[in-house]
Amino acid sequence: MRAPLSWLREYVELPATETGRDVQARLISAGLEVETVEQVGAGLKGPLVVGKVLTVEELTEFKKPIRFCTLDVGDANGTGEPQEVICGARNFAVGDKVVVVLPGAVLAGGFEISARKTYGRTSHGMICSSAELGMGDDGSGGIVVLPPEYEVGTDAVELLQLVDEVLDIAVTPDRGYCLSMRGIARETAISYGLPLRDPALIDVPAPNSFGHRVEVADPVGCDHFTMRTVTGLDPEARSPIWLKRRLQKAGMRPISLAVDITNYVMLEIGQPLHAYDRKLVDGTIGVRRAEPGEELTTLDGVKRVLDPADLVITDERGPIGLAGVMGGADTEIADAEIVASPLSSSAAERAARGTTEVVVEAAHFDPVGVARTARRHKLSSEASRRFERGVDPHAAAAAAQRTVDLLVLLAGGSAAAGVTEVVAPSGPHTITMAADHPDKVAGVGYGRETVVRRLQEIGCDVSGQDDLIVTVPSWRPDLREINDLAEEVIRLEGYENLPSTLPRPSSGRGLTGRQRLHRRAGRALAGAGYVEALNYPFVGGAQLDQLDLPADDDRRRTVALVNPLADTEPAMRTTLLPGLFGALRRNDGRGSHDLALFETGLVFRPTGEESAPVRLPVDRRPTDEEIASLDAALPRQPRRAAVVLAGAREQAGWWGKGRPADWADAVEAARTVAAEAGVELTVKADQHAPWHPGRCAALYATVDGEPTLVGHAGELHPRVIKAYGLPERTCAMEIDLDLVERAGTGALTAPRISTFPVATQDVALVVGQDVPAADVERALHEGAGELLESIRLFDVFTGEQLGGGRKSLAYALRFRAADRTLTVEEASAARDAAVALAAERTGAVLRGA
């Protein structure tokens, strides 16, 4: 909504020193979104005057039509002599009054006017169009031609109101009353503590039986319908300059006097109106739902097939308007200026003749019905925009009277005695609220007097002491319950005055164990050099095919979306890897080749046993059984962590050669995550898509006393790498955080720091090539007993001296006691026990024995 400050001052007596910026600050403080304050005519400098065209000479020797004109500008040029001007426009003639800008003036945008020679003549100024004056579109398409009554030499800056400030307000859906000068003026008056001159407070005659007959068949869709008639209109009457300029500043184009008046009153009071040519209305006006197959040609010239849910205005022939949206072309007001049009010959004749009798409609329609009709026909209008957000139903009679008054004043018409008003019975909306409720919501002690005063300022009637009975004004349909009233008090007292306080959560309601593990896992991976990637949780069949998954793989069983964002990803993800692969490919393609990415999040794994979801009620809280049935319809949603690596894991430099990322780094990432839950993983060779069959590790943890597969890690299969366009030797890991949490031992205990020295024993064991190092390590750990502090594999050797199919594994064993310094004998005994158990379980022998 664009609100000119000069217009706003008619309703609120603002101090003369207040600027648009000052008003903007006050309205923003009151909760309105004032986006900009446009300085209309900024930089404009005269002389800019009214001139009369004396002569017009056509210069025909040029490629385009050029006219050499002389104009009477009075004494504005200092000599009183005719002013010579070159002009290319053709919509004016000798005797017309036009706007002339003289040398020395400056137009908007810093355009300086001076005498200059052009087309073989000297032009001393220019004749202005509405665009050159910054007036907006006036419908002329050329030079501004003024009414003949204005005197030559009159200052056009003041006459055309070229200098002003316009507030551009983004009206939110709950504040539809601010789509009018009346509503904005009310907010301004409250902000400044000044009285309001309400334009809707005018004398309105009582309804009688002499008005145009109206039948409302749907009082739910239309609960208020007013009609007035004006006769004897002068079809030659034109909209005055002040009316046109206010419409232009508000962002609307002047059309004709009757239409301009209805638009003006809509902007002023907020009530959309429609004017019918009385001679074209056949019989009784009706309001009903459209019948199947009915058609209506609206004012935009489009023939529309109506829906049975559309509310229409009718006469004896059928629909003549879409209620609250747009009128019909058959009863359109005709303007005498229109002498040729693509209409039928009879319509063109009617247009040339002009409208002399008008029926004015002011009604209140159901907001939801208007919104649905406008969207159904893709036909948004100024009227529908207001009805959708709520229009004051009690303003219809005042708006109709204001329209009649202006038609009588400006078009020389006579108001008919008949007044039609059809009103569906309804009572005012009341809300009972504790006087201290706004205090509790805001955490500020406003007090009863402040609450009552603020509610009365917005138009509410308030009674009661501790419990207030608040009668909501008709122009505020958004005030439905006590929190709406509390918001009004708080915003008018100033949001900036609310104290900044931190919430105090109840004790014992922190993060769950699952949430804490999720966060710890993310921090641990970030600390290990991984960068978090947040991907959409959607996947498509093509991505699952690129993972080279078997046809019976559970990851191919997905949850389909009813309305996916993209047709290529119509289902919820069953694994985190496709999203990470996409992020890796994008970053690698942009020149980042050394990458280590991770993601933690949910995957969706349906079992096929989910029930059909029930539709929950909206008028009450769902029962526990309804919530349980909804939960039963959901698929399993385990939480996962995954990583993907490519390029260098350690950069080369003066410290060494560096090394590329490999499968062991992916396994180590899994161990890093598991360590946050106090879980030690067991690693075994496996074959599992999308990993390379010879470089794939299965990750096991003890869950409920049983070894359980919790994830996989390793190097990706070359086919998968090629299908996704990933760098060679890309590695990945994915692990189930929920299973890791179940395998955990609860709260982690910090290790005890012993004050006694460590005893280190190295051992090299020769085993078969097919024996996993993890099995040997596990046997050594178990055999060494409680004195073993840690074990580390530091060398793997194969060679001819060991024999075919054999390898040597060298381990460093660290022994320490909590209460004493170990002797060499104790450490050696523990080592021998470890070797013995390893020999028993894996066939290991000491190297060199």
Side-chain angles (χ1 to χ4, degrees), residues 634-676:
L634 298 176
R636 288 192 309 111
Q637 301 178 46
R639 191 177 297 273
R640 298 286 184 90
V643 305
V644 60
L645 306 97
R649 185 61 177 144
E650 295 178 4
Q651 297 292 333
W654 58 264
W655 53 85
K657 295 182 180 180
R659 67 175 184 84
D662 61 16
W663 63 267
D665 294 304
V667 174
E668 185 60 28
R671 287 197 173 105
T672 299
V673 172
E676 294 302 314

Side-chain angles (χ1 to χ4, degrees), residues 14 38 158 345 364 378 401 482 530 659 689 696 716 821:
L14 294 170
E38 180 183 342
E158 182 178 351
S345 59
H364 182 263
K378 298 181 176 61
Q401 181 62 45
I482 57 175
Y530 290 84
R659 67 175 184 84
C696 174
L716 295 176
T821 299

Side-chain angles (χ1 to χ4, degrees), residues 611 614 616 622-634:
S611 60
V614 298
L616 295 181
T623 64
D624 293 340
E625 292 76 14
E626 289 171 333
I627 296 175
S629 66
L630 190 63
D631 289 338
L634 298 176

Side-chain angles (χ1 to χ4, degrees), residues 68-155:
F68 180 70
C69 309
T70 60
L71 304 109
D72 180 8
V73 294
D75 295 330
N77 58 5
T79 65
E81 296 295 325
Q83 196 79 3
E84 297 178 341
V85 173
I86 293 290
C87 184
R90 312 194 62 79
N91 67 314
F92 65 94
V94 173
D96 283 346
K97 299 288 182 67
V98 293
V99 179
V100 184
V101 56
L102 303 179
V106 180
L107 295 181
F111 181 54
E112 297 182 359
I113 304 300
S114 61
R116 64 190 182 95
K117 190 170 183 178
T118 179
Y119 297 102
R121 307 291 180 95
T122 300
S123 180
H124 299 273
M126 60 185 290
I127 305 174
C128 296
S129 68
S130 59
E132 290 163 340
L133 296 175
M135 295 171 55
D137 185 10
D138 64 351
S140 67
I143 295 302
V144 176
V145 178
L146 300 173
E149 61 264 24
Y150 295 109
E151 293 185 6
V152 168
T154 302
D155 183 5

Side-chain angles (χ1 to χ4, degrees), residues 521-533:
R523 285 195 294 265
L525 289 172
Y530 290 84
V531 177
E532 186 172 15

Side-chain angles (χ1 to χ4, degrees), residues 509-530:
R509 294 191 178 183
L511 299 176
T512 64
R514 188 188 194 208
Q515 292 170 328
R516 286 194 295 269
L517 175 60
H518 184 197
R519 294 192 179 188
R520 289 202 309 271
R523 285 195 294 265
L525 289 172
Y530 290 84

Side-chain angles (χ1 to χ4, degrees), residues 363-375:
H364 182 263
F365 302 110
D366 173 48
V368 175
V370 172
R372 289 176 175 170
T373 296
R375 283 154 181 75

Side-chain angles (χ1 to χ4, degrees), residues 507-788:
S507 59
R509 294 191 178 183
L511 299 176
T512 64
R514 188 188 194 208
Q515 292 170 328
R516 286 194 295 269
L517 175 60
H518 184 197
R519 294 192 179 188
R520 289 202 309 271
R523 285 195 294 265
L525 289 172
Y530 290 84
V531 177
E532 186 172 15
L534 301 176
N535 299 299
Y536 286 120
F538 310 124
V539 73
Q543 292 170 303
L544 299 178
D545 292 338
Q546 291 171 342
L547 289 177
D548 206 19
L549 301 180
D552 59 348
D553 195 296
D554 284 345
R555 287 170 290 180
R556 286 190 177 275
R557 183 182 297 170
T558 59
V559 177
L561 296 169
V562 175
N563 188 21
L565 292 180
D567 294 338
T568 56
E569 295 179 338
M572 302 299 291
R573 67 187 177 190
T574 57
T575 170
L576 300 179
L577 294 179
L580 282 175
F581 292 166
L584 182 74
R585 181 180 63 250
R586 284 192 298 273
N587 283 274
D588 181 70
R590 287 162 174 76
S592 298
H593 303 301
D594 303 323
L595 295 163
L597 307 178
F598 83 93
E599 183 176 10
T600 57
L602 299 178
V603 297
F604 305 85
R605 306 295 292 271
T607 62
E609 299 178 359
E610 292 82 9
S611 60
V614 298
R615 186 179 294 275
L616 295 181
V618 296
D619 58 343
R620 59 175 174 80
R621 181 190 182 280
T623 64
D624 293 340
E625 292 76 14
E626 289 171 333
I627 296 175
S629 66
L630 190 63
D631 289 338
L634 298 176
R636 288 192 309 111
Q637 301 178 46
R639 191 177 297 273
R640 298 286 184 90
V643 305
V644 60
L645 306 97
R649 185 61 177 144
E650 295 178 4
Q651 297 292 333
W654 58 264
W655 53 85
K657 295 182 180 180
R659 67 175 184 84
D662 61 16
W663 63 267
D665 294 304
V667 174
E668 185 60 28
R671 287 197 173 105
T672 299
V673 172
E676 294 302 314
V679 175
E680 185 174 345
L681 296 178
T682 300
V683 181
K684 295 182 179 181
D686 197 7
Q687 294 187 15
H688 187 73
W691 284 274
H692 191 295
R695 301 187 181 99
C696 174
L699 310 174
Y700 288 86
T702 302
V703 180
D704 299 331
E706 296 291 334
T708 303
L709 179 67
V710 296
H712 287 86
E715 183 180 315
L716 295 176
H717 197 289
R719 285 198 300 267
V720 176
I721 291 175
K722 181 179 180 181
Y724 274 94
L726 305 177
E728 293 183 359
R729 310 301 293 271
T730 298
C731 301
M733 178 277 295
E734 186 170 21
I735 192 170
D736 191 319
L737 287 178
D738 291 342
L739 289 177
V740 170
E741 180 188 8
R742 288 175 54 191
T745 56
L748 299 180
T749 57
R752 293 190 60 179
I753 306 301
S754 175
T755 60
F756 296 98
V758 67
T760 302
Q761 296 271 358
D762 292 344
V763 59
L765 302 177
V766 178
V767 296
Q769 190 75 35
D770 58 343
V771 176
D775 292 347
V776 178
E777 182 178 323
R778 190 160 43 251
L780 290 173
H781 198 287
E782 186 177 340
E786 62 182 9
L787 294 179
L788 182 65

